[in-house]
Amino acid sequence: MRYYVLFTFVILLQTMNAQFVANYDESKVPEFDLPDPLTTFSNNKILTSTSWTELRRPELINFFESQVFGKVPGTIDTIDFEVIEESNSALGGVAKRRQIKVTLSKNGKTISYLVLLYLPKNIANAPIFLGYNFHGNHTVNSDPEIIISDAWSLNNEAIGITNHTLTEESRGMRSNRWAITKMIEAGYGLATIYYGEIDPDKNDFADGVHALFYSGSQKRPAKDEWGAIGAWAWALSRTMDYLGNNSEIDKTKVIVFGHSRLGKAALWAGVMDERFAGVISNDSGCGGAALSKRRFGETIAQINETFPYWFSENFKKYNNAEDKLPVDQHELLALIAPRPLYVASAKEDEWADPKGEFLSAYYATPVYSLFGKAGIPAIEMPVVNSPIHNTVAYHIRTGKHDVTEYDWEQYIKWAVEQFH
Ligand code: GCU
């Protein structure tokens, strides 16, 4: 009996381990059927851009909403914007700076966040990149006027963040991830927000924007409702409510950008809100650009285990059951068509499955073709540092999971081509 218990225990441990040991071996990628973006769930072929837009797109959105990212449970009661700080001579005189407080109210509850905006000084109506930062607006540049958020933060000792508190010590510490000078030189602006002001990145549904939508004694969203990624994506749209009415910005050229978990949020925001003219996914990986059915690097089970609050509760049905998923992430990308989309990977970022990110962009291409737009022309991955700049763009660069000068050089060059 004792041996039997021990034996069962050992088997159980092995199963748990097997479940969470990431596969990095291409020969062990399982065989799978990739759903065809141009065949509806009831097996009808999509032959025109109109039937894509009227039939297929809505059913895919519906699936990603209720089963993956979760639905937003309503609309906000009021939204207010207040410019609380501005300068017409920032960054050594080449840029204008604006800091805007956005206040969202619902059911008598409110939440506020700050948008930091840099605009090229000599352009009346500038295109912009919009993207979240991980550790506070004040980390994106050493500009002493950037207001430091008092919201909870993940610790990061390397950049001076301890006690979950943002301080002066981390000012400018992430400027390497934001090539602001290059953007300004190219005639582009940047709008950035600290994502922790929308929803702190921890397993807690009592804080952040979710709580504004609860009724009665509700403590967490319903199974088909939004997780943290859905919340971050939604607030990008609330920010667009402001940017779209700002005469200093060209509202037809707002490109939403995100790295990693915030790349997942940028993709979902780009899908749900067609006011975003273009979308950039930097190393977004599992639940972002990477194909889930490849089970390479991070898997659905792994992401839902480590971050049980990122997706809808329903998404957990697909833990170790990718075969049951009637969609994959190439269809998420296809939902952005015909708008420009850039997917980028890093060679050493195996956790995010660079090949899965590339294939996803490749398999989204037939939808772009329906609109007469060029996507990824061939199934072979390009070699490192050789970008493909079509309406659907892709690069894999050397190096690690990060946002680098090289990434921004590509994004800026491509944006200038796409949105001239
Ligand atoms: C973790 C997580 C990824 C995510 C990444 C990030 O590695 O597993 O899914 O993309 O964090 O946001 O940096």
Side-chain angles (χ1 to χ4, degrees):
M1 178 64 184
R2 225 190 293 155
Y3 283 112
Y4 175 76
V5 171
L6 187 67
F7 180 69
T8 319
F9 184 62
V10 168
I11 294 289
L12 188 72
L13 271 184
Q14 281 174 342
T15 328
M16 284 169 66
N17 278 339
Q19 191 176 318
F20 289 129
V21 171
N23 174 42
Y24 293 117
D25 180 348
E26 199 55 45
S27 71
K28 295 205 175 105
V29 168
E31 283 199 7
F32 58 86
D33 290 324
L34 199 65
D36 176 7
L38 297 180
T39 303
T40 65
F41 291 138
S42 49
N43 229 3
N44 292 318
K45 291 274 174 224
I46 297 294
L47 301 173
T48 64
S49 57
T50 311
S51 53
W52 162 264
T53 306
E54 288 174 4
L55 298 173
R56 182 62 168 150
R57 190 170 190 274
E59 68 171 16
L60 282 171
I61 289 196
N62 191 37
F63 186 89
F64 279 103
E65 259 196 308
S66 63
Q67 302 296 311
V68 184
F69 297 101
K71 297 179 191 169
V72 180
T75 53
I76 207 78
D77 292 345
T78 62
I79 176 163
D80 292 305
F81 310 106
E82 187 193 352
V83 180
I84 59 169
E85 192 277 336
E86 61 187 323
S87 159
N88 286 329
S89 185
L91 305 178
V94 296
K96 297 181 272 191
R97 183 187 59 243
R98 315 279 183 247
Q99 298 188 72
I100 305 107
K101 184 176 175 188
V102 180
T103 304
L104 306 171
S105 309
K106 185 152 179 94
N107 298 328
K109 294 172 250 177
T110 64
I111 200 165
S112 295
Y113 64 94
L114 276 188
V115 181
L116 168 66
L117 182 62
Y118 285 113
L119 293 168
K121 203 166 166 179
N122 49 358
I123 296 180
N125 200 228
I128 64 164
F129 297 103
L130 163 66
Y132 282 118
N133 59 73
F134 275 80
H135 289 292
N137 294 349
H138 71 294
T139 61
V140 309
N141 192 274
S142 55
D143 181 345
E145 299 304 324
I146 305 174
I147 299 162
I148 300 181
S149 170
D150 56 12
W152 183 94
S153 169
L154 286 167
N155 285 337
N156 187 332
E157 282 182 33
I159 63 168
I161 301 168
T162 50
N163 300 322
H164 302 293
T165 307
L166 300 172
T167 64
E168 204 47 56
E169 216 182 318
S170 44
R171 187 178 297 279
M173 291 295 270
R174 276 287 167 82
S175 53
N176 56 309
R177 284 193 172 181
W178 299 92
I180 302 179
T181 311
K182 288 207 165 88
M183 296 176 202
I184 298 287
E185 277 167 9
Y188 273 70
L190 171 69
T192 187
I193 304 158
Y194 169 46
Y195 82 132
E197 293 198 331
I198 309 304
D199 187 28
D201 196 351
K202 52 186 159 91
N203 192 6
D204 178 353
F205 279 107
D207 54 13
V209 293
H210 296 102
L212 264 56
F213 290 80
Y214 293 157
S215 51
S217 59
Q218 193 182 350
K219 293 273 183 310
R220 53 180 305 136
K223 284 187 171 167
D224 63 348
E225 287 178 354
W226 54 352
I229 295 174
W232 298 325
W234 174 83
L236 288 168
S237 284
R238 301 294 62 79
T239 308
M240 186 64 202
D241 296 344
Y242 170 77
L243 300 170
N245 279 315
N246 181 327
S247 61
E248 293 185 306
I249 293 166
D250 182 345
K251 67 173 178 196
T252 68
K253 295 177 183 169
V254 177
I255 303 163
V256 65
F257 156 88
H259 169 59
S260 209
R261 66 198 69 183
L262 301 176
K264 308 180 211 293
L267 286 169
W268 183 229
V271 166
M272 293 305 282
D273 192 336
E274 294 180 84
R275 293 175 300 173
F276 293 120
V279 183
I280 301 171
S281 149
N282 191 91
D283 306 356
S284 63
C286 180
L291 292 177
S292 301
K293 290 177 194 275
R294 278 172 48 79
R295 306 186 63 159
F296 188 101
E298 188 172 31
T299 60
I300 295 176
Q302 176 75 74
I303 205 167
N304 281 334
E305 169 73 17
T306 319
F307 305 101
Y309 56 99
W310 275 7
F311 296 89
S312 71
E313 196 60 26
N314 277 342
F315 195 41
K316 294 180 182 150
K317 288 194 275 194
Y318 304 98
N319 287 355
N320 298 310
E322 287 84 351
D323 290 352
K324 296 211 183 87
L325 256 184
V327 301
D328 210 331
Q329 300 303 105
H330 62 307
E331 292 169 316
L332 182 76
L333 301 186
L335 288 168
I336 294 163
R339 291 165 293 150
L341 162 70
Y342 203 129
V343 175
S345 313
K347 179 80 181 160
E348 291 169 44
D349 188 16
E350 297 256 281
W351 180 240
D353 186 14
K355 185 166 180 187
E357 295 180 317
F358 169 77
L359 287 175
S360 207
Y362 172 75
Y363 287 116
T365 293
V367 178
Y368 278 82
S369 306
L370 272 190
F371 290 88
K373 302 282 181 187
I376 303 300
I379 198 167
E380 286 75 38
M381 266 182 100
V383 295
V384 284
N385 303 339
S386 324
I388 300 170
H389 282 182
N390 289 328
T391 304
V392 182
Y394 178 82
H395 74 241
I396 176 164
R397 61 158 170 79
T398 44
K400 296 196 175 61
H401 187 70
D402 199 356
V403 194
T404 67
E405 201 77 12
Y406 177 87
D407 292 321
W408 276 113
E409 281 163 12
Q410 305 315 314
Y411 301 149
I412 293 168
K413 186 165 173 251
W414 168 79
V416 169
E417 283 159 17
Q418 296 294 321
F419 300 102
H420 53 76

